[in-house]
Amino acid sequence: ETGVTQTPRHLVMGMTNKKSLKCEQHLGHNAMYWYKQSAKKPLELMFVYSLEERVENNSVPSRFSPECPNSSHLFLHLHTLQPEDSALYLCASSQGGRGMPGPPYGEQYFGPGTRLTVT
Amino acid sequence: SQQGEEDPQALSIQEGENATMNCSYKTSINNLQWYRQNSGRGLVHLILIRSNEREKHSGRLRVTLDTSKKSSSLLITASRAADTASYFCATDRGSYGKLTFGQGTILTVHP
């Protein structure tokens, strides 16, 4: 596998379920990101990990819980979601900063996304 | 404040024509990037232009950046039906390469 992969590609879950989204990057990058893309809205940055440490939590509700066990894997754990959480969830990775906040960071490589429907 | 606002919101052209999309932003940036997204899929990086650069080319793509006007444009020359997609500009203006995306331009190229 090359690039950034995401599983599952489609997920339908009830509001009381618990599920996890998985992202894996095969590019040797040191930063990973979760984005949410809803209809009619710009991509929203949710979380940023640099060298497996969370460095950004963009006011995301606690029903979304990220996990980065190593630099190649990123998870998004979901529980008690709401219908308005239905969206395309995109994972991305990039290289830069050597774990520091400063530039330069390179372009981001995105996975194909997980289409989430909350019923 | 909203960064990376693109215009037009939608653009419809014939194959062979050029397509120009514009992006405006509000605060200083480290770099500006353009991405393409085919319907409901992941984003594909097209070009990154740094704040000290004014123009960049990649194949049929030409990007300009005017930091005094806080604006950028993406030109696709000799468009093809396969260029049909949504195009987004994104600004890197903070730390850890965090990007702020605009709403995007939906480009339709008719064969």
Side-chain angles (χ1 to χ4, degrees), chain A residues 33 37 56 101 105 107-108 111, chain B residues 35 37 42 45 95-98:
Chain A
Y33 312 82
Q37 186 176 33
E56 177 82 6
Y105 274 74
E107 62 273 20
Q108 293 186 13
Chain B
Y35 288 83
Q37 183 180 35
H45 178 262
S95 52
Y96 298 105
K98 293 180 291 184

Side-chain angles (χ1 to χ4, degrees), chain B residues 2 5 22 33 42 98 108:
Chain B
Q2 180 68 34
E5 308 229 6
N22 303 296
Q33 304 177 33
K98 293 180 291 184
T108 303

Side-chain angles (χ1 to χ4, degrees), chain B residues 3 6-7 21-22 29 31 46 50 57-58 62 66 75 81 85-86 90-91 93-94 109:
Chain B
Q3 287 274 87
E6 291 96 334
D7 90 275
M21 288 160 267
N22 303 296
I29 60 173
N31 63 64
L46 297 176
R50 303 198 186 281
H57 297 257
S58 177
R62 172 178 170 257
D66 187 334
L75 168 67
S86 293
T91 51
R93 57 189 175 91
V109 181

Side-chain angles (χ1 to χ4, degrees), chain A residues 58-77:
Chain A
N58 223 13
S59 303
V60 179
S62 60
R63 58 185 183 270
F64 295 91
S65 174
E67 178 190 2
C68 187
N70 55 61
S71 60
S72 299
H73 294 86
L74 187 64
F75 294 89
L76 189 61
H77 304 299

